[in-house]
Amino acid sequence: MKLPQHTAFSVFIAALLYMICKSWAISLSCVISGIFIDLDHVIDVVREHGREVNIKDFFEICHNAQFNRIILLFHGWEWLPLLAITAWLTGGNPWVTGTLIGFGQHLVLDAYANSSNFSSYSLIWRWKNDFHFDTIFPKLRSNKYTYGRYLSSRFNQ
Ligand SMILES: [Zn+2]
C-alpha cells in the first residue's frame, strides 16, 4: 500500500481512537507509527541502490519493487507481541499502545494489499527465505519491471 493510503487510514484510525479514548498520545503515536514504519524502506533502498538516490527515485524504486533482497526491518508481525507485552508491562502507556495500533493496522493493510501470503510480513519468514524479494513478494513483481531496470535507466543515459 502507498503513502497516501497509509496516511488516510492512520488519520482515520487515530480519529476513532481519540473519540474512544480521548487521548492525544494514543492518537498521535498511532498516526506517526502508522506512517513512519515505512522509513525502513530507506535502509533497503540505500543498501541496494546506494546513497545517491533522490526522493523521486526513492519512490520510483519502491513503487516498481526494484529490489533483489528486501529486509523491511519494521514490517514484522514479530513486533506486535513485543509491543503488546510492553504496553501491558507499562500499564497501557498511551504512546506504546498507540504505536502498537499504528504498526498493527499498517501491517494488516500492507499484507492485504501487497501479498497473498501473510508470512511475507514475518521477519523470521523473510530471514528463512534469505530476504529474496521474488520469493517473499511474488505478487509485487510485475512483468513490466525487472530488477535492474531502474539502475540501467539511470546510469545508461
Ligand atoms: Zn508498509
Side-chain angles (χ1 to χ4, degrees):
M1 186 170 273
K2 293 177 186 166
L3 183 61
Q5 289 93 347
H6 277 306
T7 302
F9 271 102
S10 295
V11 168
F12 175 72
I13 290 172
L16 283 178
L17 284 172
Y18 187 78
M19 287 191 294
I20 295 166
C21 304
K22 306 287 186 227
S23 167
W24 282 110
I26 287 180
S27 297
L28 191 58
S29 56
C30 176
V31 167
I32 291 170
S33 63
I35 296 169
F36 290 100
I37 183 177
D38 275 340
L39 281 177
D40 60 4
H41 287 64
V42 173
I43 298 168
D44 287 306
V45 168
V46 169
R47 185 181 45 72
E48 294 228 352
H49 299 281
R51 293 177 183 214
E52 287 76 37
V53 173
N54 61 32
I55 297 289
K56 180 177 173 269
D57 292 338
F58 171 82
F59 282 102
E60 186 177 317
I61 289 167
C62 292
H63 178 73
N64 296 326
Q66 296 293 294
F67 299 101
N68 187 29
R69 296 175 72 222
I70 192 96
I71 296 171
L72 292 177
L73 184 62
F74 302 143
H75 287 70
W77 301 118
E78 293 83 353
W79 292 115
L80 300 182
L82 293 176
L83 284 166
I85 290 168
T86 305
W88 179 67
L89 291 175
T90 58
N93 177 291
W95 293 99
V96 177
T97 305
T99 301
L100 169 65
I101 296 167
F103 264 44
Q105 59 89 8
H106 185 110
L107 287 173
V108 168
L109 291 172
D110 268 356
Y112 177 75
N114 298 339
S115 176
S116 55
N117 182 358
F118 265 53
S119 298
S120 300
Y121 286 91
S122 162
L123 276 169
I124 295 169
W125 192 79
R126 290 198 300 271
W127 174 55
K128 282 184 170 181
N129 284 284
D130 198 29
F131 301 105
H132 185 249
F133 188 91
D134 289 347
T135 304
I136 295 165
F137 294 110
K139 187 177 162 187
L140 291 182
R141 183 64 78 205
S142 159
N143 290 333
K144 282 192 323 189
Y145 300 103
T146 55
Y147 181 74
R149 179 181 169 185
Y150 165 75
L151 289 177
S152 61
S153 68
R154 185 158 187 235
F155 294 113
N156 290 338
Q157 291 178 355

